[in-house]
């Protein structure tokens, strides 16, 4: 059951990635962090890396802790390193939107999306550090680790949903700024958001089935 | 521990309600479903009832299943009736936004917020019916109920987070349509959203500690 749910989560994540790429490449002019001619292409790095780089890879890291076919130590390593990759790509994604704001003279950090997004990202970094020192470095006693484990799992799930909230408020903000009403691009963005939500729900379900 | 978390959840929910009322009454002209002179007052019924009427009361219903100081049957009755109240107030809240759209000639159901919001609400209604026939009417066997219980809990938590996503995308859409940048009203909306998110996280935590 858990492995079937994991498979469904992969599919939802892949669907969200494909729809987002169609949106950014076909409707929004492409993705390029160093674009000189089109600042929209700098912005486009942000949604792509925040979903595919950060949320999708972190979700795979969460599921991989149980589902990677390897010994315990390798599963833990996968879990830790994938989260580190997600954080790195997330930092580039956040840099992209600040660079875009800077280029076109927009102010930063005034929207609900920016507050929840950056808040989630910082707490995610703390959760990683907390996990690294508690579960990877072999200093904590087994009893301490057993006490901290449910908090690590709850924190991870809470951060997953917070990241989903950040993504959906971000898509909502962008679609509203662009003044989209009924139409193909609007529907494409909505389906991207729906698949991001379904990815989060499937990752949570696979987590719930594992513990 | 669980009772302390429940107390914190009440506080976050109350804070979100107060901040939202300050926003709607002080900045947005008040709340009135039958307003003839000011259609904004019709709209304002929507965010108020969707958070206070639907999400807050449903959250209290979730927590009350464990924390209401009464016998099991009364806790179940509280859980069921409070959810029914939440659904009723939610229907009025959804009616309000359709009425507002109708009055000022806006089209319906094109935004990500509307898709996720109405989707969540319909699934919530199904979850209530499923719960009523499985756990209230005494026809299912104990074994069937035990099998369905983890799905009822997972479904409830998933719907809670989906409702939080709906609320935050709604606030994000409204703030962006109003063209708010840095300022008092923008900060007020963001803090309302943050407390709605914190309420959801606290309800989930109290649920995680109870099971």
């Amino acid at each position: 059951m858990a492995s079937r749910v994991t498979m469904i989560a992969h599919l939802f994540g892949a669907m969200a990635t494909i729809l987002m790429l169609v949106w950014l490449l076909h409707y929004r002019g492409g993705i390029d962090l160093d674009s000189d001619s089109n600042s929209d292409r700098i912005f486009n790095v942000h949604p792509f890396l925040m979903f595919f780089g950060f949320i999708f890879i972190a979700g795979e890291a969460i599921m991989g802790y149980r589902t990677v076919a390897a010994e315990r130590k390798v599963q833990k390593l996968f879990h830790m390193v994938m989260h580190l990759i997600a954080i790195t790509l997330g930092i580039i994604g956040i840099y992209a939107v600040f660079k875009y704001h800077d280029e076109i003279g927009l102010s930063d950090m005034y929207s609900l999306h920016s507050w929840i997004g950056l808040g989630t990202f910082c707490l995610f970094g703390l959760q990683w550090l907390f996990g690294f020192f508690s579960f990877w470095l072999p200093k904590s006693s087994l009893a301490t680790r057993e006490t901290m484990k449910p908090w690590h799992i709850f924190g991870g799930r809470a951060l997953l949903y917070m990241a989903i909230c950040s993504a959906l408020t971000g898509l909502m903000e962008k679609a509203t700024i662009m003044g989209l009403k009924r139409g193909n691009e609007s529907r494409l963005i909505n389906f991207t958001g729906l698949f991001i939500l379904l990815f989060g729900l499937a990752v949570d379900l696979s987590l719930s089935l594992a513990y």
Side-chain angles (χ1 to χ4, degrees), chain A:
Chain A
M1 182 72 189
S3 69
R4 233 178 306 163
V5 173
T6 308
M7 191 59 71
I8 292 170
H10 297 327
L11 280 177
F12 286 153
M15 273 302 293
T17 307
I18 291 166
L19 291 177
M20 186 178 274
L21 281 174
V22 172
W23 174 45
L24 298 175
L25 301 179
H26 179 71
Y27 286 90
R28 296 280 114 214
I31 298 173
D32 182 2
L33 188 56
D34 297 315
S35 177
D36 292 323
S37 56
N38 184 353
S39 58
D40 284 342
R41 299 176 70 178
I42 301 172
F43 171 84
N44 293 346
V45 175
H46 177 69
F48 179 68
L49 283 188
M50 296 326 284
F51 176 68
F52 177 75
F54 181 58
I55 297 178
F56 180 70
I57 290 184
E60 294 295 324
I62 290 172
M63 295 188 294
Y65 182 71
R66 285 283 170 196
T67 54
V68 166
E71 55 175 310
R72 198 93 214 92
K73 190 90 182 172
V74 176
Q75 290 181 319
K76 280 183 87 166
L77 184 70
F78 175 84
H79 188 70
M80 184 192 72
V81 171
M82 284 286 277
H83 272 128
L84 197 59
I85 293 171
I87 289 173
T88 309
L89 294 174
I91 289 171
I92 303 171
I94 292 171
Y95 165 75
V97 76
F98 277 97
K99 182 177 177 184
Y100 168 73
H101 282 182
D102 198 44
E103 294 229 341
I104 66 164
L106 274 181
S107 59
D108 303 312
M109 297 303 301
Y110 64 83
S111 77
L112 181 59
H113 166 66
S114 63
W115 286 28
I116 293 176
L118 203 61
T120 301
F121 196 78
C122 293
L123 290 173
F124 190 94
L126 285 178
Q127 164 94 343
W128 190 89
L129 283 175
F130 173 86
F132 183 77
F133 286 106
S134 307
F135 302 110
W136 187 258
L137 294 186
K139 279 186 181 157
S140 316
S141 71
L142 187 65
T144 313
R145 277 183 283 153
E146 281 303 310
T147 313
M148 282 188 289
K149 199 174 137 189
W151 291 99
H152 185 70
I153 295 170
F154 173 79
R157 204 181 54 219
L159 285 164
L160 170 72
Y161 277 113
M162 287 166 71
I164 301 294
C165 284
S166 308
L168 300 183
T169 51
L171 289 176
M172 191 70 248
E173 184 178 16
K174 188 67 182 174
T176 315
I177 287 176
M178 293 192 298
L180 295 181
K181 303 285 173 190
R182 215 178 293 282
N184 286 342
E185 185 171 359
S186 173
R187 270 189 294 274
L188 183 59
I189 293 176
N190 292 0
F191 275 112
T192 307
L194 276 188
F195 277 105
I196 289 175
L197 177 60
L198 288 171
F199 174 73
L201 293 170
V203 172
D204 180 20
L205 181 57
S206 85
L207 198 66
S208 300
L209 290 169
Y211 294 99

